[in-house]
Amino acid sequence: MKICIGLSGGVDSSVAAWLLKQQGYDVFAMFMQNWHDADTTLHGDCEWEEDRFVAELVARKIGIPFYFVDLSKQYRQRVVDYMFDEYAKGRTPNPDVLCNREIKFDAFWEAARKLGADMVATGHYCRKEETVGSDGQPVYRILAGTDPNKDQSYFLCQLSQEQLSKALFPIGDLLKPEVRRIAHEADLPSADKKDSQGICFVGKVDLPTFLQQKLESREGDVIEVYDAYYQDNAQYRFLQDTLSSLTADGRPARMITEYVSEDKGSGQGAANRYDPEKLAVLSDEDWLRLSQPVPYDLTFETETYRSGKHHVKKTRYKENPFGKILGKHEGAQFYTIGQRKGLNIGGHADSLFVIATDVEKNLIYVGEGHRHKGLSRSCLRVAPEEIHWIRPDLAMAPGEIRRYRVRIRYRQPLQDATLVRRENGLYILFDTPQRGITAGQFAVWYDGDEMLGSGAI
């Protein structure tokens, strides 16, 4: 069997190539260039040239043929343009997920196939298993990587059975320290190379600068939302009343998650227990509304006053019990929900977080503190056309309710949730309210170690 390894110049793909060679496969390496513009990277130089040099040294050390392919046109059309379009709509995409679906296991596979490859391999920390379906045909499973600190299955959440049939993940059973050890023992040139960061194949970038290539900067208001806003908000009352009516023990539903850290997840004792029978009787319209965030519609009136010894006439905003205009930003499309850095606004005892953006009106709404009501949501929706089952044989039919574990971003600990399939979408109701649910991100659901499906929020 002839296998093409996507050799990036990093230690993970290098060890994957070395293992395949040791296992007796007919292996060749291919390095892909997907990005030309170095102006937007923080390093300001062509990192891909160094990566290619290291990758070629690795291939020579292992003793396998080395090829180069330029996929920058496909990458720009199918990943970068998608990014720009999503940010322009006020959504937050995940380019790494798209890169795997559209480039590594599509355009790259086609290039490898033309060179005679039967399979493609990558250095992802995940595992693949093959089983047999009820029709006697092979079914491919994606399992989380053995190393819990490096599991990268999330990034493969949009792959199809056809793509998986041609994919290999040689290091999925290894821990990262083992990979480093193997690289040192094999004297691979990439043994001490640091892991790459930033956008897949673009590198570490200043995101606003990167987005400003196509998205115009436009000054707008940053509005702080006070806790009082939620007391009389119809949507927040609906969420609170509806969720509380669905609990198994009749207790009021918790609406705010106790924050510990991004890696450790939510605090103890913050989970709700929902009654499946109560969930089943909700209408599609109820589920749709349950998945919608609180809308923000604050207006600020101005008043004139005289200031100083000369009584100069000035204008200011009247006090508003629900919020305050804090300052200015350079474009709502450059911010994402849950963001803390980059606001450049002081004068608060606790951190400010972005809780909503309005691209049409060019407004950013922020809240103070980890426990701000606008940061937490319990339910999200995946539109019917966005639902992707890695295991189509396990797809949910309208009316079905299942329990899975879900994450909405890479490295987030898996969260307990109930999935409800309706005609108008797939709804994910978390036991624990989630911080920073953002449109455009991918929600991914697992059964044990197996990743079953995903969808854009």
Side-chain angles (χ1 to χ4, degrees), residues 81-93 211 214-215 332-334 359-360:
D81 286 350
Y82 167 85
M83 275 185 63
F84 286 131
D85 185 56
E86 286 287 276
Y87 274 106
K89 295 174 181 176
R91 294 160 59 89
T92 303
L211 294 175
K214 284 194 174 182
L215 305 182
Q333 68 271 25
F334 301 136
V359 172
E360 289 187 9

Side-chain angles (χ1 to χ4, degrees), residues 432-451:
T432 301
Q434 298 297 297
R435 289 166 46 88
I437 292 178
T438 307
Q441 291 179 325
F442 286 94
V444 182
W445 47 94
Y446 293 73
D447 183 7
D449 278 349
E450 183 178 8
M451 182 169 61

Side-chain angles (χ1 to χ4, degrees), residues 103-366:
I103 305 299
K104 289 180 183 175
F105 295 95
D106 193 311
F108 181 82
W109 156 244
E110 285 301 317
R113 186 179 59 82
K114 291 176 182 177
L115 291 173
D118 300 303
M119 306 274 284
V120 292
T122 66
H124 283 101
Y125 286 85
C126 69
R127 296 170 291 154
K128 169 188 163 183
E129 287 186 357
E130 181 178 342
T131 185
V132 179
S134 58
D135 58 358
Q137 297 300 310
V139 174
Y140 300 98
R141 308 170 69 213
I142 301 181
L143 306 178
T146 299
D147 190 336
N149 296 315
K150 290 295 294 182
D151 170 37
Q152 294 174 317
S153 57
Y154 178 89
F155 294 129
L156 305 174
C157 68
Q158 285 279 294
L159 296 192
S160 66
Q161 285 288 304
E162 175 63 25
Q163 289 173 311
L164 279 174
S165 70
K166 306 297 182 184
L168 288 175
F169 309 108
I171 66 170
D173 288 313
L174 301 178
L175 303 179
K176 182 73 178 193
E178 294 180 82
V179 170
R180 290 282 185 194
R181 178 184 57 78
I182 291 171
H184 279 288
E185 289 179 356
D187 197 25
L188 299 180
S190 59
D192 293 314
K193 198 168 187 292
K194 292 182 179 180
D195 293 342
S196 61
Q197 294 182 323
I199 299 173
C200 182
F201 289 105
V202 175
K204 200 168 185 180
V205 301
D206 177 69
L207 191 57
T209 301
F210 181 75
L211 294 175
Q212 283 169 12
Q213 292 179 92
K214 284 194 174 182
L215 305 182
E216 184 181 352
S217 297
R218 191 159 55 99
E219 190 176 76
D221 290 330
V222 177
I223 300 173
E224 181 179 3
V225 180
Y226 298 154
D227 189 71
Y229 179 82
Y230 300 91
Q231 294 174 10
D232 295 316
N233 183 274
Q235 174 64 3
Y236 195 80
R237 286 204 314 271
F238 171 82
L239 295 174
Q240 195 167 39
D241 293 345
T242 303
L243 290 172
S244 294
S245 73
L246 299 173
T247 58
D249 55 11
R251 294 181 181 179
R254 294 181 176 89
M255 300 290 288
I256 301 172
T257 186
E258 296 294 335
Y259 179 76
V260 177
S261 72
E262 188 64 21
D263 290 335
K264 294 182 180 179
S266 304
Q268 297 300 314
N272 296 305
R273 290 177 53 246
Y274 295 108
D275 186 336
E277 294 184 4
K278 294 178 180 179
L279 300 180
V281 299
L282 287 181
S283 68
D284 287 5
E285 291 71 25
D286 286 336
W287 277 109
L288 183 60
R289 188 173 178 187
L290 200 60
S291 69
Q292 293 173 342
V294 172
Y296 295 96
D297 185 20
L298 285 80
T299 57
F300 298 90
E301 298 179 357
T302 58
E303 62 182 3
T304 58
Y305 68 101
R306 295 189 179 276
S307 174
K309 291 189 297 184
H310 301 289
H311 302 287
V312 177
K313 186 182 287 187
K314 294 184 178 181
T315 302
R316 63 187 176 195
Y317 288 106
K318 291 182 180 179
E319 289 288 330
N320 187 318
F322 302 122
K324 179 182 181 180
I325 295 177
L326 291 182
K328 299 293 183 179
H329 62 79
E330 295 183 353
Q333 68 271 25
F334 301 136
Y335 295 83
T336 188
I337 294 171
Q339 180 175 338
R340 178 175 60 181
K341 297 179 180 179
L343 292 171
N344 299 319
I345 295 174
H348 289 73
D350 208 341
S351 299
L352 289 177
F353 296 87
V354 176
I355 59 172
T357 62
D358 187 330
V359 172
E360 289 187 9
K361 296 180 180 178
N362 197 31
L363 298 173
I364 292 176
Y365 297 95
V366 301

